[in-house]
């Protein structure tokens, strides 16, 4: 029996950070037999560019006996850094979270906003389709 490996982003499905603070996302891939060759991060449908002029974006990846972890750090978060973030290992299903960068708002007020359960389900469906497209075009 073959079980497909699954990435997991630690923490809540919705991440709230204040403008100017650091976004820290940790993705765990527990594939012991063959660790992923690479782990890519996406914001929406765009690969996170660590060389962008924005600066302050870094990635730490660690491969151990217990699996692989990939930590995405985005310093000095701005409102433009809000959105869906996806961790896509080369040999596992992706995982996603939605990051909300707050400009003084209270997180509880945002939970009833535009990101309803149906909106999240639709977003996850698109991410899954996008991940499959990436995998199939390799």
């Amino acid at each position: 029996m073959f079980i497909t490996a699954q990435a997991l982003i630690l923490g809540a499905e919705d991440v709230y950070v204040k403008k100017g603070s650091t976004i820290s996302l940790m993705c765990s891939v527990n594939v012991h037999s063959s660790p992923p060759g690479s782990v890519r991060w996406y914001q929406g449908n765009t690969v996170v560019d660590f060389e962008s002029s924005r600066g302050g974006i870094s990635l730490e990846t660690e491969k151990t006996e217990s699996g692989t972890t990939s930590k995405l750090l985005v310093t000095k978060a701005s409102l433009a850094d809000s959105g869906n973030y996806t961790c896509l290992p080369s040999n596992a299903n992706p995982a996603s979270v939605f990051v909300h960068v707050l400009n003084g708002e209270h997180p509880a007020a945002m939970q009833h906003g535009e990101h309803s359960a149906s909106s999240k389900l639709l977003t996850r469906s698109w991410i899954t389709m996008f991940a499959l497209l990436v995998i199939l075009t390799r």
Side-chain angles (χ1 to χ4, degrees):
M1 183 167 119
F2 178 74
I3 298 174
T4 304
Q6 176 68 49
L8 172 68
I9 296 178
L10 306 178
E13 291 181 2
D14 285 276
V15 176
Y16 297 90
V17 296
K18 289 182 181 178
K19 182 179 173 187
S21 64
T22 297
I23 299 168
S24 177
L25 303 175
M26 177 80 74
C27 179
S28 175
V29 186
N30 294 323
V31 181
H32 310 293
S33 56
S34 61
S38 66
V39 177
R40 287 192 177 177
W41 284 88
Y42 290 82
Q43 182 187 11
N45 292 332
T46 305
V47 175
V48 174
D49 182 6
F50 302 101
E51 304 296 324
S52 74
S53 58
R54 179 213 183 280
I57 302 174
S58 64
L59 179 68
E60 299 171 7
T61 302
E62 182 179 4
K63 295 178 182 180
T64 66
E65 290 179 8
S66 62
T68 299
T69 58
S70 177
K71 185 174 184 179
L72 176 66
L73 295 169
V74 180
T75 61
K76 299 178 183 172
S78 70
L79 299 179
D81 295 318
S82 291
N84 196 78
Y85 283 78
T86 301
C87 164
L88 179 60
S90 59
N91 66 341
N93 288 328
S96 298
V97 296
F98 201 96
V99 173
H100 304 267
V101 178
L102 306 176
N103 193 13
E105 301 99 340
H106 189 273
M110 293 190 66
Q111 290 176 353
H112 302 290
E114 63 182 286
H115 302 292
S116 65
S118 61
S119 174
K120 288 180 187 176
L121 181 59
L122 181 60
T123 300
R124 292 211 169 108
S125 297
W126 278 108
I127 290 167
T128 301
M129 288 175 34
F130 178 72
L132 287 172
L133 178 65
V134 168
I135 292 168
L136 293 173
T137 56
R138 288 186 183 172

